[in-house]
Amino acid sequence: NAGVTQTPKFQVLKTGQSMTLQCAQDMNHNSMYWYRQDPGMGLRLIYYSASEGTTDKGEVPNGYNVSRLNKREFSLRLESAAPSQTSVYFCASSEYGSRDTQYFGPGTRLTVL
Amino acid sequence: SQQGEEDPQALSIQEGENATMNCSYKTSINNLQWYRQNSGRGLVHLILIRSNEREKHSGRLRVTLDTSKKSSSLLITASRAADTASYFCATDAGRGNKLVFGAGTILRVKS
């Protein structure tokens, strides 16, 4: 039982490049989330998926897209990376909804040059 | 915008001492959660307290909630070096009841 896994762990991009961050959970959770964490700040919600087949914007969605591929997987795509997207990205899941306990992955540290 | 704000921003104590962290929030909530983050790792859930609860315990952790003051506190008793981490409160006051995290308290426990 791996919980929430994320790939890659580290990534360096040049401005304008694209990439997809992968997230998978094996807890049969309905809801999944993408957050970013910047120094001195708490986590900010980028997108979430309340259930398979649904996605919705969070607090900071600009420059990102998501896909809930199936119940297990929720990916985050940066179409044209910008230096302002340099951050640590966390995926999380919860069984019933956002008020429920959330389980976090180990994070992806992304640097955009 | 941040709903929960932790205080202090950083705390340094000796092993064996108690550590208290506070969280204040602005709007009504249904529940408040505390999470721990070790350096370079993801967040780990510690405890969830509902708005109709005043106090909750889990091992060496004690959480209180005062909805009239819109504040919560996390007490870690008999701290250990392994408790060194950042601690975040999160409230369900975001749009659509999403969790909103504070900036966190950095706790350092010296052995």
Side-chain angles (χ1 to χ4, degrees):
Chain A
N1 195 344
V4 179
T5 57
Q6 292 182 236
T7 55
K9 286 189 169 62
F10 301 94
Q11 184 71 48
V12 179
L13 293 178
K14 294 181 180 176
T15 297
Q17 287 185 319
S18 63
M19 80 160 294
T20 300
L21 282 65
Q22 307 286 354
C23 173
Q25 52 91 8
D26 62 2
M27 295 173 282
N28 201 37
H29 285 171
N30 291 300
S31 301
M32 297 185 74
Y33 315 86
W34 276 106
Y35 293 93
R36 60 178 290 172
Q37 184 178 33
D38 300 295
M41 301 184 71
L43 277 69
R44 291 183 292 169
L45 182 66
I46 305 170
Y47 269 94
Y48 66 94
S49 171
S51 60
E52 185 179 355
T54 69
T55 62
D56 203 352
K57 295 177 181 178
E59 185 185 351
V60 288
N62 291 345
Y64 305 95
N65 283 301
V66 290
S67 295
R68 183 75 183 266
L69 304 168
N70 47 55
K71 193 171 185 179
R72 289 188 64 246
E73 299 171 289
F74 189 36
S75 62
L76 178 72
R77 182 159 178 84
L78 287 70
E79 291 291 351
S80 179
S84 61
Q85 294 178 304
T86 293
S87 188
V88 182
Y89 291 85
F90 289 99
C91 178
S93 70
S94 66
E95 186 170 7
Y96 296 118
S98 53
R99 287 178 174 171
D100 202 1
T101 297
Q102 295 190 14
Y103 295 83
F104 284 80
T108 294
R109 187 173 295 274
L110 175 67
T111 301
V112 183
L113 303 174
Chain B
S1 62
Q2 290 176 260
Q3 161 77 336
E5 294 189 6
E6 290 90 342
D7 170 61
Q9 288 185 319
L11 181 60
S12 183
I13 60 174
Q14 290 292 136
E15 204 166 28
E17 294 180 338
N18 295 342
T20 300
M21 288 158 269
N22 302 297
C23 171
S24 59
Y25 57 91
K26 296 172 185 170
T27 62
S28 297
I29 60 171
N30 289 285
N31 71 50
L32 184 146
Q33 303 183 40
W34 285 92
Y35 288 80
R36 183 188 74 231
Q37 183 181 34
N38 291 92
S39 181
R41 311 289 281 274
L43 276 71
V44 174
H45 180 259
L46 295 176
I47 204 160
L48 181 153
I49 186 165
R50 303 191 189 284
S51 61
N52 61 353
E53 297 174 309
R54 291 295 166 259
E55 189 170 309
K56 211 162 179 182
H57 296 255
S58 176
R60 293 183 297 111
L61 306 181
R62 173 182 169 242
V63 168
T64 61
L65 178 64
D66 186 334
T67 53
S68 67
K69 294 181 179 177
K70 291 187 170 60
S71 67
S72 173
S73 66
L74 170 67
L75 169 68
I76 303 174
T77 59
S79 63
R80 305 166 181 168
D83 294 327
T84 294
S86 293
Y87 292 82
F88 297 88
C89 70
T91 60
D92 63 347
R95 184 177 68 90
N97 301 316
K98 298 300 166 288
L99 280 189
V100 179
F101 288 82
T105 292
I106 300 171
L107 173 64
R108 181 183 170 210
V109 181
K110 296 176 284 187
S111 56

Coordinates of all heavy atoms in Angstrom, one line a residue, chain B residues 15-89:
Chain B
E15 N 14.5 19.5 24.1 CA 13.9 18.2 24.2 C 13.3 18.0 25.6 O 13.9 18.4 26.6 CB 14.9 17.1 23.9 CG 14.3 15.8 23.4 CD 15.3 14.8 22.8 OE1 16.5 14.9 23.3 OE2 15.0 14.0 22.0
G16 N 12.1 17.5 25.7 CA 11.4 17.3 26.9 C 10.4 18.5 27.3 O 9.5 18.3 28.1
E17 N 10.6 19.6 26.7 CA 9.7 20.7 26.9 C 8.5 20.6 26.1 O 8.4 19.8 25.2 CB 10.4 22.1 26.6 CG 11.6 22.4 27.5 CD 12.2 23.7 27.1 OE1 12.1 24.2 26.0 OE2 12.9 24.3 28.0
N18 N 7.4 21.4 26.5 CA 6.2 21.4 25.7 C 6.3 22.5 24.6 O 6.9 23.5 24.8 CB 5.0 21.6 26.6 CG 4.8 20.5 27.6 OD1 5.3 19.4 27.4 ND2 4.1 20.8 28.7
A19 N 5.6 22.2 23.5 CA 5.5 23.2 22.4 C 4.1 23.5 22.2 O 3.3 22.6 22.0 CB 6.2 22.6 21.2
T20 N 3.8 24.8 22.1 CA 2.4 25.3 21.8 C 2.4 26.1 20.6 O 3.2 27.1 20.5 CB 1.8 26.1 23.0 OG1 1.8 25.2 24.1 CG2 0.4 26.5 22.6
M21 N 1.6 25.8 19.6 CA 1.4 26.6 18.4 C -0.1 27.0 18.3 O -0.9 26.2 18.7 CB 1.8 25.7 17.2 CG 3.3 25.5 17.1 SD 3.7 24.1 16.1 CE 3.7 22.8 17.3
N22 N -0.3 28.2 17.8 CA -1.6 28.7 17.7 C -2.0 29.0 16.2 O -1.1 29.2 15.4 CB -1.7 30.0 18.5 CG -1.3 29.9 19.9 OD1 -2.0 29.1 20.7 ND2 -0.2 30.5 20.3
C23 N -3.3 28.9 16.0 CA -3.8 29.2 14.7 C -5.0 30.0 14.8 O -5.9 29.7 15.6 CB -4.2 27.8 14.0 SG -5.1 27.9 12.5
S24 N -5.1 31.1 14.0 CA -6.3 31.9 14.0 C -6.9 31.9 12.6 O -6.1 31.8 11.6 CB -6.0 33.4 14.4 OG -5.0 33.9 13.6
Y25 N -8.2 32.0 12.5 CA -8.9 32.0 11.2 C -9.9 33.1 11.2 O -10.2 33.7 12.3 CB -9.4 30.6 10.9 CG -10.4 30.1 12.0 CD1 -11.7 30.3 11.9 CD2 -9.9 29.4 13.1 CE1 -12.6 29.8 12.8 CE2 -10.8 28.9 14.0 CZ -12.1 29.1 13.9 OH -13.0 28.6 14.8
K26 N -10.5 33.3 10.1 CA -11.3 34.5 9.9 C -12.8 34.2 9.8 O -13.7 35.0 10.2 CB -10.9 35.3 8.7 CG -9.5 35.9 8.8 CD -9.0 36.5 7.6 CE -7.5 36.9 7.7 NZ -6.9 37.3 6.5
T27 N -13.2 33.1 9.2 CA -14.6 32.9 8.9 C -15.0 31.6 9.6 O -14.2 30.8 10.1 CB -14.9 32.8 7.4 OG1 -14.2 31.7 6.9 CG2 -14.5 34.0 6.7
S28 N -16.3 31.3 9.6 CA -16.9 30.1 10.3 C -16.3 28.9 9.6 O -16.1 28.9 8.4 CB -18.4 30.2 10.2 OG -18.9 31.3 10.9
I29 N -16.2 27.9 10.4 CA -15.6 26.6 9.9 C -16.5 25.4 10.3 O -17.2 25.6 11.3 CB -14.2 26.4 10.3 CG1 -14.1 26.3 11.8 CG2 -13.3 27.5 9.7 CD1 -12.7 25.9 12.4
N30 N -16.3 24.3 9.7 CA -16.9 23.1 10.1 C -15.9 22.2 10.8 O -16.2 21.5 11.8 CB -17.5 22.3 8.9 CG -18.8 23.0 8.4 OD1 -19.8 22.9 9.0 ND2 -18.6 23.6 7.3
N31 N -14.7 22.3 10.3 CA -13.6 21.6 11.0 C -12.3 22.2 10.8 O -12.1 23.1 9.9 CB -13.6 20.1 10.7 CG -13.1 19.8 9.3 OD1 -12.1 20.3 8.9 ND2 -13.8 19.0 8.6
L32 N -11.3 21.9 11.6 CA -10.0 22.4 11.5 C -9.0 21.3 11.7 O -9.2 20.4 12.5 CB -9.7 23.5 12.6 CG -8.4 24.2 12.6 CD1 -8.5 25.6 13.1 CD2 -7.3 23.5 13.5
Q33 N -8.0 21.3 10.8 CA -7.0 20.1 10.9 C -5.6 20.7 11.1 O -5.3 21.8 10.7 CB -7.1 19.4 9.5 CG -8.5 18.9 9.1 CD -8.5 18.1 7.8 OE1 -7.6 17.3 7.6 NE2 -9.5 18.3 7.0
W34 N -4.8 19.8 11.7 CA -3.4 20.1 11.9 C -2.6 19.1 11.1 O -2.9 17.9 11.2 CB -3.0 20.1 13.3 CG -3.4 21.3 14.1 CD1 -4.6 21.5 14.8 CD2 -2.7 22.5 14.2 NE1 -4.6 22.7 15.3 CE2 -3.5 23.4 15.0 CE3 -1.5 23.0 13.8 CZ2 -3.1 24.7 15.4 CZ3 -1.0 24.3 14.1 CH2 -1.8 25.1 14.9
Y35 N -1.6 19.5 10.4 CA -0.7 18.7 9.7 C 0.8 19.0 10.0 O 1.1 20.1 10.4 CB -0.8 18.9 8.1 CG -2.1 18.4 7.5 CD1 -3.3 19.2 7.7 CD2 -2.1 17.2 6.8 CE1 -4.5 18.7 7.1 CE2 -3.3 16.7 6.3 CZ -4.5 17.5 6.4 OH -5.6 17.0 5.9
R36 N 1.6 18.0 9.9 CA 3.1 18.1 10.1 C 3.8 17.9 8.8 O 3.4 17.0 8.0 CB 3.5 17.1 11.1 CG 5.0 17.2 11.5 CD 5.5 16.1 12.4 NE 5.6 14.8 11.6 CZ 5.1 13.7 11.9 NH1 4.4 13.6 13.0 NH2 5.3 12.6 11.2
Q37 N 4.9 18.6 8.6 CA 5.7 18.4 7.4 C 7.1 18.4 7.8 O 7.7 19.4 8.3 CB 5.5 19.5 6.4 CG 6.3 19.3 5.1 CD 6.1 20.4 4.1 OE1 5.9 21.6 4.4 NE2 6.1 20.1 2.8
N38 N 7.8 17.2 7.6 CA 9.2 17.1 7.9 C 9.9 17.7 6.6 O 9.4 17.7 5.5 CB 9.6 15.7 8.1 CG 9.1 15.2 9.4 OD1 8.0 14.6 9.5 ND2 9.9 15.4 10.5
S39 N 11.1 18.1 6.8 CA 11.9 18.8 5.8 C 11.9 18.0 4.5 O 12.3 16.8 4.6 CB 13.3 19.2 6.3 OG 14.0 19.8 5.3
G40 N 11.5 18.5 3.4 CA 11.6 17.8 2.1 C 10.6 16.7 1.9 O 10.7 16.0 1.0
R41 N 9.6 16.7 2.8 CA 8.6 15.6 2.6 C 7.2 16.2 2.5 O 7.0 17.4 2.5 CB 8.6 14.8 3.9 CG 9.9 14.3 4.4 CD 10.5 13.3 3.4 NE 10.0 11.9 3.6 CZ 10.4 11.1 4.5 NH1 11.5 11.4 5.3 NH2 9.9 9.9 4.6
G42 N 6.2 15.3 2.2 CA 4.8 15.7 2.1 C 4.2 15.9 3.5 O 4.8 15.6 4.5
L43 N 3.0 16.5 3.5 CA 2.3 16.7 4.8 C 1.7 15.5 5.3 O 1.2 14.6 4.5 CB 1.2 17.8 4.6 CG 1.7 19.2 4.7 CD1 2.5 19.6 3.5 CD2 0.5 20.2 4.8
V44 N 1.7 15.3 6.6 CA 1.1 14.2 7.3 C 0.0 14.7 8.2 O 0.2 15.6 9.0 CB 2.2 13.4 8.1 CG1 1.5 12.3 8.9 CG2 3.2 12.8 7.2
H45 N -1.2 14.1 8.1 CA -2.3 14.5 9.0 C -2.1 14.2 10.4 O -1.6 13.0 10.7 CB -3.6 13.9 8.5 CG -4.8 14.3 9.2 ND1 -5.3 13.5 10.2 CD2 -5.5 15.4 9.2 CE1 -6.4 14.1 10.7 NE2 -6.5 15.2 10.1
L46 N -2.3 15.1 11.3 CA -2.2 14.8 12.8 C -3.5 14.6 13.4 O -3.7 13.7 14.2 CB -1.4 16.0 13.4 CG 0.0 16.2 13.0 CD1 0.6 17.4 13.7 CD2 0.9 15.0 13.3
I47 N -4.4 15.6 13.3 CA -5.6 15.6 14.0 C -6.7 16.5 13.3 O -6.3 17.5 12.7 CB -5.4 16.0 15.5 CG1 -6.4 15.5 16.4 CG2 -5.2 17.5 15.6 CD1 -5.9 15.5 17.9
L48 N -7.9 16.1 13.4 CA -9.0 16.9 12.9 C -10.0 17.2 14.1 O -10.3 16.2 14.9 CB -9.8 16.1 11.8 CG -11.0 16.8 11.1 CD1 -11.1 16.2 9.7 CD2 -12.3 16.6 11.9
I49 N -10.4 18.4 14.3 CA -11.3 18.8 15.3 C -12.5 19.5 14.7 O -12.3 20.3 13.8 CB -10.6 19.6 16.4 CG1 -11.5 19.9 17.6 CG2 -10.1 20.9 15.8 CD1 -10.8 20.4 18.8
R50 N -13.7 19.1 15.0 CA -14.9 19.6 14.5 C -15.3 20.8 15.2 O -15.0 21.0 16.4 CB -16.0 18.6 14.4 CG -15.6 17.3 13.7 CD -16.7 16.4 13.4 NE -16.2 15.1 12.9 CZ -15.8 14.9 11.6 NH1 -15.8 15.9 10.8 NH2 -15.3 13.8 11.2
S51 N -16.2 21.6 14.6 CA -16.5 22.9 15.3 C -17.3 22.7 16.6 O -17.4 23.6 17.4 CB -17.4 23.7 14.3 OG -18.5 23.1 13.9
N52 N -17.9 21.6 16.7 CA -18.7 21.3 18.0 C -17.8 20.6 19.1 O -18.3 20.3 20.1 CB -19.9 20.5 17.7 CG -19.6 19.1 17.2 OD1 -18.5 18.8 16.8 ND2 -20.6 18.3 17.0
E53 N -16.5 20.5 18.8 CA -15.6 19.9 19.8 C -14.7 21.0 20.3 O -14.4 22.0 19.6 CB -14.8 18.9 19.1 CG -15.6 17.7 18.6 CD -14.7 16.7 17.8 OE1 -14.0 17.1 16.9 OE2 -14.8 15.5 18.2
R54 N -14.3 20.9 21.6 CA -13.5 21.9 22.2 C -12.1 21.5 22.4 O -11.1 22.3 22.4 CB -14.1 22.3 23.6 CG -15.4 23.1 23.4 CD -15.2 24.4 22.7 NE -16.5 25.0 22.3 CZ -16.9 25.0 21.1 NH1 -16.2 24.4 20.1 NH2 -18.1 25.5 20.8
E55 N -11.9 20.1 22.5 CA -10.6 19.6 22.8 C -10.5 18.2 22.2 O -11.5 17.5 22.2 CB -10.3 19.6 24.3 CG -8.9 19.3 24.7 CD -8.7 19.5 26.2 OE1 -9.0 20.6 26.7 OE2 -8.2 18.6 26.9
K56 N -9.3 17.9 21.8 CA -9.1 16.5 21.2 C -7.6 16.1 21.5 O -6.7 16.9 21.5 CB -9.3 16.5 19.7 CG -9.9 15.2 19.2 CD -10.5 15.3 17.9 CE -11.0 14.0 17.4 NZ -11.6 14.1 16.1
H57 N -7.4 14.8 21.8 CA -6.1 14.3 22.2 C -5.7 13.2 21.2 O -6.6 12.4 20.8 CB -6.1 13.8 23.6 CG -6.3 14.8 24.7 ND1 -5.4 15.3 25.4 CD2 -7.5 15.4 25.0 CE1 -5.9 16.2 26.3 NE2 -7.2 16.3 26.0
S58 N -4.4 13.1 21.0 CA -3.9 12.0 20.2 C -2.5 11.8 20.6 O -1.6 12.5 20.3 CB -4.0 12.2 18.7 OG -3.4 11.2 18.0
G59 N -2.2 10.8 21.5 CA -0.9 10.6 22.0 C -0.4 11.8 22.8 O -1.0 12.3 23.7
R60 N 0.7 12.4 22.3 CA 1.3 13.5 23.0 C 0.7 14.8 22.4 O 1.2 15.9 22.8 CB 2.8 13.5 22.8 CG 3.5 12.4 23.5 CD 5.1 12.5 23.4 NE 5.5 12.3 22.0 CZ 6.0 13.3 21.3 NH1 6.2 14.5 21.8 NH2 6.4 13.0 20.0
L61 N -0.2 14.7 21.6 CA -0.8 15.9 21.0 C -2.1 16.3 21.6 O -3.0 15.4 22.0 CB -1.1 15.7 19.5 CG 0.1 15.3 18.6 CD1 -0.4 15.1 17.2 CD2 1.2 16.2 18.7
R62 N -2.3 17.6 21.9 CA -3.6 18.1 22.4 C -4.0 19.3 21.6 O -3.2 20.2 21.4 CB -3.5 18.5 23.9 CG -4.7 19.1 24.4 CD -4.5 19.5 25.9 NE -5.5 20.4 26.4 CZ -5.4 21.6 26.8 NH1 -4.1 22.2 26.8 NH2 -6.4 22.4 27.2
V63 N -5.2 19.2 21.0 CA -5.7 20.4 20.2 C -6.9 20.9 20.9 O -7.8 20.2 21.3 CB -6.0 19.9 18.8 CG1 -6.8 20.9 18.0 CG2 -4.7 19.5 18.0
T64 N -7.0 22.2 20.9 CA -8.1 22.9 21.4 C -8.7 23.8 20.3 O -8.0 24.2 19.4 CB -7.8 23.8 22.6 OG1 -6.9 24.8 22.3 CG2 -7.3 22.9 23.8
L65 N -10.0 24.1 20.4 CA -10.7 24.9 19.4 C -11.6 25.8 20.1 O -12.4 25.4 20.9 CB -11.4 24.1 18.4 CG -12.2 24.8 17.3 CD1 -11.3 25.6 16.4 CD2 -13.1 23.9 16.5
D66 N -11.5 27.1 19.9 CA -12.4 28.1 20.5 C -13.0 28.9 19.3 O -12.4 29.8 18.7 CB -11.6 29.1 21.3 CG -12.4 30.1 22.1 OD1 -13.6 30.4 21.6 OD2 -12.0 30.6 23.1
T67 N -14.2 28.5 19.0 CA -14.9 29.0 17.8 C -15.3 30.5 18.1 O -15.4 31.3 17.1 CB -16.1 28.2 17.4 OG1 -17.0 28.0 18.5 CG2 -15.7 26.9 16.9
S68 N -15.5 30.9 19.3 CA -15.9 32.3 19.6 C -14.7 33.2 19.3 O -14.9 34.3 18.9 CB -16.3 32.4 21.1 OG -15.2 32.2 22.0
K69 N -13.5 32.7 19.5 CA -12.3 33.5 19.2 C -11.7 33.2 17.9 O -10.7 33.8 17.5 CB -11.2 33.3 20.3 CG -11.6 33.8 21.7 CD -10.5 33.6 22.7 CE -11.0 34.1 24.1 NZ -9.9 33.8 25.1
K70 N -12.3 32.2 17.2 CA -11.8 31.8 15.9 C -10.3 31.4 16.0 O -9.5 31.9 15.3 CB -12.0 32.8 14.8 CG -13.5 33.0 14.5 CD -13.7 33.9 13.3 CE -15.1 33.9 12.8 NZ -16.1 34.4 13.8
S71 N -10.0 30.5 17.0 CA -8.6 30.2 17.2 C -8.5 28.7 17.6 O -9.4 28.1 18.2 CB -7.9 31.1 18.2 OG -8.5 30.9 19.4
S72 N -7.3 28.1 17.4 CA -7.0 26.8 17.8 C -5.6 26.7 18.3 O -4.8 27.6 17.8 CB -7.2 25.8 16.6 OG -6.8 24.5 16.9
S73 N -5.3 25.8 19.1 CA -3.9 25.6 19.5 C -3.5 24.1 19.5 O -4.4 23.3 19.7 CB -3.7 26.1 20.9 OG -4.4 25.4 21.9
L74 N -2.3 23.9 19.2 CA -1.7 22.6 19.1 C -0.6 22.5 20.2 O 0.3 23.3 20.1 CB -1.1 22.2 17.8 CG -0.3 21.0 17.6 CD1 -1.1 19.7 17.9 CD2 0.4 20.9 16.3
L75 N -0.8 21.6 21.1 CA 0.2 21.4 22.2 C 0.9 20.1 22.0 O 0.2 19.0 21.8 CB -0.5 21.4 23.6 CG 0.4 21.0 24.8 CD1 1.5 22.0 25.0 CD2 -0.5 20.8 26.0
I76 N 2.2 20.1 21.9 CA 3.0 18.8 21.9 C 3.7 18.7 23.2 O 4.5 19.6 23.6 CB 4.0 18.8 20.7 CG1 3.3 19.1 19.4 CG2 4.8 17.5 20.7 CD1 4.3 19.3 18.2
T77 N 3.4 17.7 24.0 CA 4.0 17.5 25.3 C 5.3 16.7 25.2 O 5.4 15.8 24.3 CB 3.0 16.9 26.3 OG1 2.6 15.6 25.7 CG2 1.8 17.7 26.4
A78 N 6.2 16.9 26.1 CA 7.4 16.1 26.2 C 8.0 16.0 24.8 O 8.2 14.8 24.3 CB 7.1 14.8 26.8
S79 N 8.4 17.1 24.2 CA 8.8 17.1 22.8 C 10.1 16.3 22.7 O 10.9 16.1 23.6 CB 9.1 18.5 22.3 OG 10.1 19.1 23.1
R80 N 10.3 15.8 21.4 CA 11.4 15.0 21.0 C 12.1 15.6 19.8 O 11.5 16.3 19.1 CB 11.0 13.5 20.7 CG 10.2 12.9 21.8 CD 9.5 11.6 21.3 NE 8.7 10.9 22.3 CZ 7.9 10.0 22.1 NH1 7.7 9.5 20.8 NH2 7.2 9.4 23.0
A81 N 13.4 15.2 19.6 CA 14.1 15.8 18.4 C 13.3 15.4 17.2 O 13.3 16.2 16.2 CB 15.5 15.2 18.4
A82 N 12.7 14.3 17.1 CA 11.9 13.8 16.0 C 10.7 14.7 15.7 O 10.1 14.6 14.6 CB 11.5 12.4 16.1
D83 N 10.3 15.5 16.7 CA 9.1 16.4 16.4 C 9.5 17.7 15.6 O 8.7 18.5 15.2 CB 8.5 16.9 17.8 CG 7.9 15.8 18.6 OD1 7.4 14.8 17.9 OD2 8.0 15.8 19.8
T84 N 10.8 17.8 15.4 CA 11.3 19.0 14.6 C 10.6 18.9 13.2 O 10.8 17.9 12.5 CB 12.8 18.9 14.4 OG1 13.4 19.2 15.7 CG2 13.3 20.0 13.4
A85 N 9.9 19.9 12.8 CA 9.1 19.9 11.6 C 8.4 21.2 11.5 O 8.4 22.1 12.4 CB 8.1 18.8 11.6
S86 N 7.7 21.4 10.4 CA 6.7 22.5 10.2 C 5.3 22.0 10.5 O 5.0 20.9 10.1 CB 6.8 23.1 8.8 OG 8.0 23.7 8.6
Y87 N 4.6 22.8 11.2 CA 3.2 22.4 11.5 C 2.2 23.4 10.9 O 2.4 24.7 11.0 CB 3.0 22.4 13.1 CG 3.9 21.3 13.7 CD1 5.2 21.4 13.9 CD2 3.3 20.0 14.0 CE1 6.0 20.4 14.4 CE2 4.0 19.0 14.5 CZ 5.3 19.2 14.7 OH 6.1 18.1 15.2
F88 N 1.2 22.9 10.3 CA 0.2 23.7 9.6 C -1.2 23.5 10.1 O -1.6 22.3 10.3 CB 0.2 23.4 8.1 CG 1.5 23.7 7.4 CD1 2.5 22.8 7.3 CD2 1.7 25.0 6.8 CE1 3.7 23.1 6.6 CE2 2.9 25.3 6.1 CZ 3.9 24.3 6.1
C89 N -1.9 24.5 10.2 CA -3.4 24.3 10.4 C -4.1 24.5 9.1 O -3.6 25.3 8.2 CB -3.9 25.3 11.5 SG -4.0 27.0 11.0

